[in-house]
Amino acid sequence: IMSKNIKLNGSNGFNYLVSCNVCSVKTNHYVLNSVGVSWDDGVCGSGHDEYEIIKCAGCDNISFRIGSTNDEDYYELNDEFGDPVDRIFPERERVYPKRLPIRKFIKGADCLPAKVLVMYRETYIALAAELKLLVGIGIRALVEAVCLEEQSTRGDLKMKIDDLVVKNVLTKGNADILHKTRFLGNSAAHEIEPPSDAEIDVAFDIVENLLETVYIVPTKAELLKSK
């Protein structure tokens, strides 16, 4: 029979170093409220989960953190003779929303057409959730959304990208780079092959450069002309 012991606000005031999606670096986060649950199922083991509302000390952004330990997940500390002298029970940390400490949401997103923005936002969210297959498919769909917006609808995606060159939306060099994202999307969608972290990072750089080139920079340039 599972037994539980619940303790309120046991970690209030604690401080954790956590990646902040707003600050884009690791910052101190303080616990505002917490619920601790110690459990024992009487068969497989026992453990503890701490559910915490945390606040970034830099920007005041609010997040939710779960810290978990159990008696089956540990490593031993040995003395100089190799004999175990202690057990360390590492805490598993989960933070929500998911952390993207390196890549910020693209600046100037308000310049993007509505359908392109929706596709970019959902692909970004998939990236934050580490859903690599969906990221690969999303990157391809994002390129498709740009082609649709620019009325490049003939043939397959390769022909659509090449048509963007004909329409003077892209240079030939940029189109050649963009073609690389097609293969990543094909592998994800048709071969159920998730891209690697490195492939995702490069592909995201490419599509963000596309969005900046086609929408963000021209819109900002027009704003400067009107002043």
Side-chain angles (χ1 to χ4, degrees), residues 9-77:
N9 301 324
S11 64
N12 282 21
F14 281 24
N15 174 38
Y16 301 104
L17 193 62
V18 176
S19 293
C20 176
N21 276 345
V22 177
C23 299
S24 292
V25 293
K26 285 191 174 182
T27 62
N28 289 320
H29 282 64
Y30 295 94
V31 179
L32 300 179
N33 291 100
S34 64
V35 176
V37 180
S38 297
W39 53 269
D40 189 335
D41 66 8
V43 178
C44 296
S46 60
H48 180 82
D49 300 308
E50 197 74 27
Y51 302 89
E52 300 163 324
I53 297 173
I54 58 176
K55 182 177 76 170
C56 174
C59 68
D60 291 337
N61 191 49
I62 303 298
S63 302
F64 186 72
R65 178 184 183 274
I66 304 174
S68 302
T69 57
N70 67 78
D71 62 3
E72 296 294 317
D73 185 12
Y74 66 87
Y75 61 89
E76 293 182 334
L77 289 180

Side-chain angles (χ1 to χ4, degrees), residues 104-112 120 208 212 216-217 220:
K104 283 188 176 183
F105 199 80
I106 191 170
K107 289 184 179 180
D110 55 328
C111 300
L112 302 177
Y120 174 79
E208 286 185 339
E212 289 172 348
I216 297 174
V217 172
K220 290 182 177 179

Side-chain angles (χ1 to χ4, degrees), residues 169-190:
V169 175
L170 289 178
T171 65
K172 179 66 165 60
N174 284 342
D176 290 341
I177 294 172
L178 193 58
H179 279 307
K180 296 177 182 178
T181 65
R182 289 192 301 111
F183 301 112
L184 180 143
N186 285 341
S187 295
H190 302 303

Side-chain angles (χ1 to χ4, degrees), residues 7 68 103 109 111 128 132 135 151 154 161 204 208 210:
K7 181 178 180 180
S68 302
R103 185 176 296 277
C111 300
K132 295 182 181 180
V135 173
Q151 299 181 351
R154 66 185 186 89
I161 292 173
F204 238 89
E208 286 185 339
L210 170 68

